[in-house]
Amino acid sequence: MDLPEQQFFLQSPQAMVITDSDSNIIRVNPAFERTTGYSFAEVVGEKAHILAAEALNMQAYEVLWPALRSNGNWQGELWQQRKDGTVYPVWLSICCLWDGSKLMGYAAQFFDISSLKSAISLQAEPVQYDELTQLPSWDRFRDVMDARLQRAAEITEQVAVLLVDLDRFKWINDTLGRDVGDGLLQEVARRLGSVVPAPNSLARLNSDEFVMLVPCVDGVETATRIAQQVVEQLSHGIMVDHREIFISGSVGIAMAPEQGNRARDLVKKADVAMYAAKQGGRNTFRVYNPLLELSKGPQILHEEDLITALDAGQLQLCFLPVYSLHSHQVVAVHAAPIWQHEELGQVPFSGFSSLLQGAGSVRKYEAWLAQELQSFNLIWERYPGLRYISLRLEKQQLKAEDDAQRWLALLQKYQMTGAILLDIDVETALEKEGLLFDVLTSDALLSLSGFAQKLPNMDQLKDIHPDIIRLDAELVSNMSGDSMCQKQINAVLKMAERMGIEVLADGVSTAGQRGELMGQGCMLMQGRYFGLPLTLEQLLAHLAVDH
């Protein structure tokens, strides 16, 4: 450059950038650094598209590149992204640099037209991005999604739409104030952005819902891995206004092209899956299935379905380690039947235990369980120091007078080395106290749960006098954001302390919950924080390391 050109380049109020023929940046001016937030050292040698919000520019690119090839220049509106991630509109002029017939590179200049666009017509055009989180608005993102979905269909690429709904956000916003709620949403947006860092893959759908669009090389496996990362990111405490707030997220997944190729349709299906995740206890994810449309998942199952599943070997006994914060070791194990349903995925025992109605299904289930319980012998043989192995009994399994005796007889052969602990709902225990006499006077241990629905008085609890009280996962997951849940937990812990009964917290999924419960004297815990349900082989390997 000669001197006048050099002065113009350095003093121009418009950002200017020069690239080589492969679009690698070789020079920028001071206005470029002010506008984009990037220094020259940070972008030299980088491709120019580091600046672009590419997914928002698909239509413009269809015009830009043909114009450059035919005319050697183009100007128009594009969307760019600053170093800090904010998206903004620019007016761009770009031309080709030639040396004779050889293309040497490109020269471009641009300026931010955000204020100009706002002044022209705020009402005539939908808002392009959310002011609070700086994420693309739904109106804008829907167009981006449709364009990317169309392109994915053309190249037969699988894409997932993830809908993330914050659990109990309304309560936090109403109780702690809108400023706290706004700060929480900003941090949530940042954490979600760390899971899908690609530009324009995340938008705020409404008050407490976010939508993601991600390519899935491995199909639904990729989508579920990302959903698990989302759940994990939201499970850690968030500091807002010197206050640590615990929140969780429920995630619904819809896959394209299997379940549609339009943004609106896929978001609706992801919403159905998200609702199923909430029904499944929150702080988890679900993949869309047409059956979820009918009646919220497991409710559509019938007794004959369970009988068929038992015959087909679709039930599996999984194990949850129980941790003692005194010894920092696994001290017990909870056995949990899980139905590996072909369409609904993993259905927990609570989701199908109500199907044990007729004598046929009960007997078949007991026969299956008798086979599975043989694994207890292997666990006791390897780790005789475990305090107990627990198993859940639902109300419908204790209908007749001889039900308790039958279960005890079934379990007796597996408690020679260690104790079997039966977990029963407190309401069922109070209602069928007479039928439970054999359990109370046997070598089996008894734990009570279900305190989220019923809180007995001290005399009622004394009559049963369980060995352990179990805090339900529902209470634990809501304890930080729901004052009523915390009151229930406090009441249960006080009664347990007066009676000298240990308390086991179920469903512990965050370090915050662990610390809060430990501070209140609860030292036995199980849940996602300590690991997901394990197969027998995985459990034995886990215990080998732990012990």
Side-chain angles (χ1 to χ4, degrees):
M1 292 185 184
D2 58 27
L3 186 58
E5 291 173 330
Q6 178 78 3
Q7 290 177 339
F8 174 73
F9 184 81
L10 295 175
Q11 297 175 13
S12 172
Q14 293 194 28
M16 303 181 74
V17 57
I18 298 174
T19 75
D20 61 18
S21 58
D22 293 323
S23 298
N24 300 308
I25 297 173
I26 57 177
R27 192 166 187 190
V28 301
N29 69 346
F32 173 96
E33 296 180 333
R34 292 193 300 269
T35 302
T36 67
Y38 287 105
S39 68
F40 173 61
E42 290 174 309
V43 297
V44 62
E46 295 286 348
K47 296 289 185 183
H49 64 63
I50 191 178
L51 308 171
E54 290 196 315
L56 297 175
N57 295 328
M58 293 304 176
Q59 293 180 341
Y61 287 161
E62 292 177 0
V63 178
L64 185 157
W65 291 110
L68 273 180
R69 285 192 290 268
S70 60
N71 304 327
N73 61 80
W74 179 85
Q75 64 176 341
E77 181 182 327
L78 286 181
W79 287 86
Q80 293 198 157
Q81 186 170 1
R82 294 187 176 90
K83 180 182 176 182
D84 64 8
T86 57
V87 176
Y88 63 107
V90 300
W91 188 262
L92 173 77
S93 299
I94 183 172
C95 65
C96 299
L97 302 178
W98 299 94
D99 182 4
S101 60
K102 183 180 180 181
L103 177 66
M104 301 299 294
Y106 303 94
Q109 59 181 357
F110 57 89
F111 62 95
D112 185 344
I113 58 172
S114 300
S115 57
L116 179 61
K117 285 176 69 67
S118 299
I120 291 174
S121 179
L122 274 175
Q123 297 180 350
E125 206 172 302
V127 176
Q128 300 294 330
Y129 59 91
D130 175 51
E131 185 176 350
L132 179 65
T133 62
Q134 297 301 304
L135 294 174
S137 68
W138 169 239
D139 287 328
R140 181 70 186 180
F141 195 63
R142 183 178 57 228
D143 295 337
V144 173
M145 288 179 67
D146 281 330
R148 288 178 63 180
L149 289 166
Q150 182 178 354
R151 184 173 61 173
E154 293 170 354
I155 61 175
T156 63
E157 176 188 41
Q158 284 189 297
V159 179
V161 173
L162 279 68
L163 185 65
V164 184
D165 183 274
L166 303 183
D167 301 324
R168 303 181 305 284
F169 174 76
K170 184 179 185 302
W171 183 92
I172 293 172
N173 207 41
D174 293 345
T175 306
L176 304 181
R178 184 171 177 178
D179 289 344
V180 172
D182 286 351
L184 184 68
L185 288 171
Q186 289 172 329
E187 175 60 16
V188 167
R190 188 194 69 77
R191 292 188 183 187
L192 296 180
S194 71
V195 176
V196 283
N200 303 299
S201 293
L202 171 67
R204 184 181 176 195
L205 187 58
N206 56 41
S207 173
D208 59 350
E209 288 187 329
F210 297 80
V211 62
M212 296 174 167
L213 183 68
V214 293
C216 294
V217 176
D218 298 326
V220 73
E221 292 183 10
T222 301
T224 55
R225 282 198 299 269
I226 293 171
Q228 184 60 59
Q229 291 174 35
V230 169
V231 171
E232 173 65 21
Q233 282 290 334
L234 297 181
S235 67
H236 302 294
I238 295 176
M239 294 298 299
V240 181
D241 194 22
H242 308 292
R243 182 197 306 263
E244 188 174 23
I245 299 172
F246 290 93
I247 199 167
S248 60
S250 299
V251 185
I253 303 170
M255 300 295 298
E258 297 97 315
Q259 289 142 13
N261 54 16
R262 293 185 58 215
R264 190 181 298 276
D265 296 337
L266 286 164
V267 168
K268 284 182 179 179
K269 289 178 178 177
D271 183 68
V272 171
M274 181 274 293
Y275 184 79
K278 282 191 177 295
Q279 293 295 105
R282 299 176 178 155
N283 195 34
T284 187
F285 60 87
R286 291 287 186 273
V287 180
Y288 173 81
N289 185 285
L291 288 175
L292 298 178
E293 300 269 14
L294 301 177
S295 181
K296 306 180 187 68
Q299 295 179 16
I300 67 171
L301 297 171
H302 303 286
E303 186 174 10
E304 53 268 28
D305 298 324
L306 177 58
I307 293 173
T308 301
L310 286 163
D311 289 335
Q314 294 178 355
L315 265 66
Q316 181 181 23
L317 199 62
C318 292
F319 301 89
L320 275 172
V322 177
Y323 277 81
S324 166
L325 299 188
H326 286 300
S327 64
H328 302 288
Q329 275 191 323
V330 178
V331 295
V333 172
H334 178 66
I338 291 178
W339 183 349
Q340 303 285 353
H341 196 281
E342 293 178 348
E343 295 173 319
L344 297 177
Q346 288 191 349
V347 181
F349 183 54
S350 60
F352 66 84
S353 60
S354 60
L355 305 180
L356 296 169
Q357 298 291 339
S361 61
V362 171
R363 301 298 185 207
K364 191 173 283 289
Y365 174 75
E366 288 181 12
W368 168 82
L369 187 59
Q371 286 292 115
E372 292 293 312
L373 289 179
Q374 294 180 28
S375 61
F376 285 19
N377 286 333
L378 185 56
I379 297 172
W380 292 132
E381 180 185 330
R382 299 271 189 94
Y383 303 99
L386 292 176
R387 288 177 52 185
Y388 63 79
I389 301 177
S390 64
L391 194 70
R392 172 81 172 172
L393 289 184
E394 295 289 351
K395 181 177 181 178
Q396 57 272 20
Q397 295 172 270
L398 296 168
K399 285 181 178 180
E401 291 186 6
D402 64 342
D403 282 346
Q405 294 94 318
R406 194 174 67 256
W407 283 108
L408 284 174
L410 178 63
L411 295 168
Q412 188 175 9
K413 65 182 75 172
Y414 303 111
Q415 58 182 33
M416 298 301 182
T417 305
I420 300 294
L421 181 142
L422 295 177
D423 181 55
I424 298 173
D425 183 87
V426 63
E427 189 170 5
T428 301
L430 292 173
E431 180 185 330
K432 299 181 178 293
E433 185 179 343
L435 298 181
L436 291 177
F437 179 79
D438 290 319
V439 175
L440 297 173
T441 57
S442 72
D443 292 332
L445 302 177
L446 177 66
S447 73
L448 293 185
S449 55
F451 293 93
Q453 283 71 42
K454 183 176 182 61
L455 186 64
N457 59 45
M458 181 70 77
D459 290 336
Q460 289 175 314
L461 207 56
K462 283 181 178 177
D463 288 340
I464 302 174
H465 207 289
D467 299 281
I468 288 177
I469 285 177
R470 187 189 298 263
L471 286 176
D472 305 87
E474 179 183 349
L475 284 174
V476 172
S477 65
N478 295 338
M479 63 184 295
S480 299
D482 190 325
S483 58
M484 288 302 297
C485 285
Q486 187 59 66
K487 287 179 181 178
Q488 290 281 90
I489 290 174
N490 292 340
V492 172
L493 290 172
K494 285 180 181 177
M495 282 195 292
E497 184 179 8
R498 289 176 189 170
M499 295 178 63
I501 300 173
E502 276 189 295
V503 178
L504 165 65
D506 191 9
V508 178
S509 59
T510 70
Q513 292 167 357
R514 172 187 176 276
E516 195 169 343
L517 288 163
M518 185 171 62
Q520 294 175 277
C522 179
M523 304 301 284
L524 287 179
M525 300 184 190
Q526 67 185 44
R528 188 189 300 272
Y529 179 78
F530 300 102
L532 296 172
L534 306 171
T535 64
L536 177 62
E537 292 75 16
Q538 291 169 333
L539 173 71
L540 295 174
H542 183 82
L543 290 174
V545 174
D546 189 74
H547 286 254

